[in-house]
Amino acid sequence: MRLSRPPVDNNGTFQAIVLREFRRKLLENYTNRCSYLGKASNVDSLESDTRRELLYVGLYLLIWGESANLRFMPECICYIFHHMAMELNRILEDYIDEETGRPWIPSISGENAFLNRVVKPIYDTIKAEVAKNKYGTAPHDRWRNYDDFNEYFWSKSCFHTLNWPLDFNSKFTSERKTGFVERRTFWNVYRRFDRLWVRVLSLFITWSGMRLFHALPEPAMEFSRVSRQTSRLVLGKVLRILVAAAWTGAFVFCYTRIWVQRNHDKHWSNEANQRVTFFLGLAFLYGLPELVELVLLFLPRIWLNSKVFDLLSWWFHGDCYIGQGLREGVVDRIKYVLFWVVVLEHEWDWQAIFSVSNKFIIELLWLPVVLVYLADTQIWYSIYSPFVGAAMGLLQMLGEIRNIEQLRWRFRFFATAIQFNLMPQEEIKISGGSLREKLCEAFHQLKVRCRLQLPFKMVELESNQVKANKFALIWNEIVTTFREEDIISDKEVELLQLPPNSWEIRIIRWPCFLLGNELLRALDLATDLYDAPDNWLWYKICKNEYRRCAVIETYDCVKYLMLHKLIKSSTEEHSILEVLFQEIDHSIEIKKFTKTFRMIALRQIHSKLIKLVELLLEPNNNMNEIATAMQSLYAVVVSYLFKAKMTMDQLRKDGLAPKSRTAMAELLFKNAIEFPDPSEEHFYMQIKRLHTIITTRDSMHTVPLNNEARRRLAFFSNSLFMKMPRAPRVEKMIAFSVLTPFNNEHVLYSKEQLKTKNEDGISILYYLQTIYDDEWKNFIERMHRERMVTANEIWTTKLRDLRLWASYRGQTFARTVRGMMYYYRALRLLAFLDSSLETNITITKEAEGIALMKYTYVVSCQKYWEYKAIGDPRAEEIIDLLKHNEALRMAHVDQVSTGSDEKECYSVLLKYDRQLQREVEIYRIKLPGPMNIGEGKPENQNHGIVFTRGDAVQTIDMNQDNYFEEALKIRNLLEEFKHHHGIHRPTILGVREHIFSGSVSSVAWFMSAQETSFVTLFQRLFANLLKIRMHYGHPDVFDRFWFMTRGGLSKASKVINISEDIFAGFNCTLRGGSVTHHEYIQVGKGRDLGLNQISAFEAKIACGNGEQFLSRDVYRLGQRLDFFRMLSFFHTTIGYFFNTTVIILSVYGFLWGQLYLALSGVENSVLGYNNNSRKALSAVINQDLIIQFGLFMTLPAIFESSVENGFLEAIWEFLVMQLELSTVFYTFSMGTRAHFFGRTVLHGGAKYRQTGCNFVVRHTSFAENYRLYARSHFIKAIEFGFILMVYATCTPSAKVTFFYIDMSVTCWLLVLSWIFAPFLFNPLGFDWLKTVYDFEEFMNWIWCRDGVLAKATQSWERWWNEEQDHLVTTSLWGKLLEIVLNLRFFFFQYGIVYHLGISGQSRSVFVYLWSLIFIFAAFGIYLTMSYVRNNYGAKQHIYVRLAEFLLMVLGILLVIALRQFTAFRYVDIFISLLAFIPTGWGLLSIAQVFRPLLRRTRLWDSVVSLA
């Protein structure tokens, strides 16, 4: 490997320096750990001992390679390496064992000794601890995860307790939490980001009080690890509480003294002012550390080795190995500080409500105001960030070439840009150079960026056939891949390809789509300027580069055709034509073409030439017709072209006519025609191109027709003018691998999947043919070209092609493999171009070898052996992909029976051997046990990473694609690892993504717009300005050796790391890495296509953020980042979900507050007709309106679209999205995020949700929609709807129509969106027949009783229980909070009963108590009737009828009595039912909390029946 460019000599110094740098990088984490613990490193730094350096490197890699799941614990590996390196040193130094007197023998030796005595015991300990997790239901503080085990090795105590060889009787196997305790509570939002809330909510006294409030719960939160920590932990917690309490007491005492003195003196006396001064001085002293931090933020980074600073670090941040010195450069700090200064200077004005005097009413009115105030920073951030992100995109020159029209005009710069960016720079520039050379290089780069390089590079390419051919080869290979993907047709291939320079044509032969109509325009110019000088006519033609090239190419092509291809060289006709072309060339050379020849005759020559070319293209060539056409063309030339009249004798004299008079009487070209062989394809390609140039009157602005092809060409051409590092030669580039974890996804669509129709008669193939109609036509055209005769062959001989075509349009493994193998194809081409000095270009075996050496694609499919054992078709499909892709490797876990019940597990790497015609093993590594003891995907990645090669690894998911033209830029991207971005070199290279699934449906488009803005606009903002970009998934490129020594590409602890990818970013930032983002290269990505899939994805992300909320990584970043980066971190990760939840809670607070005002009758008495108060209330809800209209997603999407597609196009997209109800979709998605985030934080229940990403070609039943959205949307929407209806009937304000609309329109929008979105975005959602079937299915599902084998999809009762399972496993505080929240439903009844006529306008509490008595009485009657029905319904049915009759009679008598003796009204019955529904729901919700107790009683059956 090559980390830098050391000096080259012939004495081996080069290899020694490379090895030493590699060793330092590989063991950097080990060295840092030794320094942190105060331990001497066991790696001797002998500069001259290359052998020892190599042994250290080999030892670490061997340990890491065999560590299996321990690779998630980098400091554990450091601990093992520390002791094994010590033993290695003793062996190298011939150390004599004092006990035996013999040479030192390693303490661990023998076959599989390291695995059995080191790895497996630790693995077994971890596995046993994971079992305590109880499949994700146990609280995190009850068991240890990977991080707990790893952080055990952050302390010196591990050397004393675990020892070496490992002592597994130590506390290592019995201890609980280490380093941090994850507890499930909303308190975490304050505990992790206390500085944020101190800024928002406090000043001086409350500041110190909130610090005390932060310090007090810390001991309780960390109690689970106090027992094994040193006294420093307890001391730190106690001291923080004491200091915070002292400061709070001091502030309260001083503040009280001020007002005591003020009240005593009755004015601000000198003594009172002195006390104020003292208070301010105390406040200054208290805030001094914050001021010092603010000053240091703008100073360069300095290193101070002092015990005082160690003590300060321990006091403010505690003892922690990671998270030290999270600083950025001064310039970067200034940039993100300025961003947040602009955001934070805006605050909402809520002063109008202060005019209300009733304190309780103030609290009700201020509740939603305060909640929105907590989220206002997120709102302003959402407003400003799209502006800044869009401006950054414009500065990076994104959107310079937005469409094919702009590409046509700038295509002539293409060769310059490709030569500059994709071709290797000269060796002198690699090694440096003088200041002048660097300035010239920078000036040259500026000219290329600004498209000022044309006059030089075009001439250079026209004179250098090698460079011209290289440019043509790259472009043509891009066009070829387009045709292979069927996004262009055969005709478009001819128009787009750059033909090789042949037929002695002097200029670059641009693609025909650029030359369309240019020759005819040149003819028009020549006809119009028939008397103009040559210089003027040529100047007018050359104003358009493509017109100039069209004229020259046509002339050179016709000349070569006549003299070298069509006319026999030994004939008199050939001599005549030779003289004629010499005459034309001479007139052009002396600039007398317009004086010598008649320009008007060019029209006639043009028509005769078209006739000749068309005859040459006919399948059955007629020599006589061709000779006649030549004769006609010759006649026009000699008769009309020359201005000077020439007799026959003059023509013979000048050699322009036959010498013999008899020859003139006959057909001149009859015996001179020499037609090429029909198999000579190159000749016909040239003739076709000539025909296109001379006949096309269309400007070809629609070529290519396919939108995807147009987008890809525009982006590729635009990216070549963006800033990127220069590409090295392939043999000198950084080697890299691509890693993809594979689980249960589709490999290829089968024949049955493609043909099978759903209940609506729609198959996947029909669906694809409909939405990709042009690509289907291109596919059929390609199949006919490949000798398909009949349409039925598509299901027989061409079945594999059909399956691939369909699979390449879905989100399948085959599509991902095809995309990733473009890297190999691109590197193979570039490797040849690096070494080719010839004009005849053919890929060599050497280039293929170099590409294989630099690139490997590893797919980690642990279940392959299962597929193969059970005969799953996916096993054969995977082998087929291995067979057709040389650089593809597949890793899987093989289980070998040992003769007993136990099985041995092995990691195996496979490839396909073309000689043996089967898959063969490359490597086999024994494992300590099954790999999947954590989260599945990161464990799968960890299983495969051991087989990757090179310095970098790109993580690619199963729903991704790649493009050949983008793969050409991979060398440039990898060079970013060598450049500093700020003060750091990057350890993760972020890559732009294109969401290719947006054209499938409207909701897929909305999701695509949302994701596109996130993976482009926000990513460049996070990385380049806020310096807080994490790893949000794929396709980022990792510094492989940096991450393999720091825990891998993700984290894998059960549940807490369910969003495994982002933890790689957290880990990278905490350990001093840097994440960048680069937009000159893109990778395709698919997203979910239907509403149910999208909702499952949103739920997965929200649950993942809820778990991140609890994690130690978020805590440490929130505490250790500087204030402004902490703001960025909060609002770009969990803060977004937290604030979304707060916004929903503000709607709750507003509606329940208004309900109280309406039902209590105090709304007008308190607010009256105060316009300011009503205006303030409207302002609060209008903020919700902004959010509900999708500000978080719509605004960024508009700005990103305006950057890349133009402002008008962005506005049009926005309008179309609104017409397609994007507002409903985004409002619905907001509810999904808020529900699952809040539930996960309070109760847990997060789990991996596999969305599938399949095509949505079927109708979703109402029962399925109800199961998915009842708890998250429907019930909440019904609750809001009830409140709004009651408010409308009970408040006098509703009579003011505009006020009611202004107050409630956004809430009604939310209600309607949450209820109707699943139907609006459901195929055939309003079809009457489907609705009838859905209703019948739903009722059957509702009344199906729970059985032993019943599933949630079959029984409502089973679904209801499963939906509430999180309440069974939640903590005591979670249960109590759930009960408290459900008490709100009883308030609904409390307000309603006082509006009953029977209440007699009474406000006594007994009215409410009587209503509860009636409810329980009704419940008792229901239980009685259930008992009668269950016991007598079968054999003595008459008793059931009698009981029902008596109940009816009693009911009628009760109504008559109430009507007679009270103020009862008949409408009271309906109002009572309106009150009973929320109360009943509240009782049922509370009953679910006590389900473990109630299920033991007979009461539970009644609860289920009532529900």
Side-chain angles (χ1 to χ4, degrees), residues 1023-1040:
N1024 301 328
L1025 182 67
L1026 302 182
K1027 308 302 287 186
I1028 203 62
R1029 187 190 188 276
M1030 299 297 169
H1031 171 56
Y1032 303 97
H1034 311 275
D1036 292 353
V1037 182
F1038 291 76
D1039 185 329
R1040 179 169 169 265

Side-chain angles (χ1 to χ4, degrees), residues 1410-1425:
W1410 272 107
S1411 68
L1412 290 177
I1413 292 173
F1414 273 101
I1415 286 178
F1416 285 110
F1419 188 59
I1421 293 172
Y1422 174 78
L1423 292 179
T1424 302
M1425 292 301 299

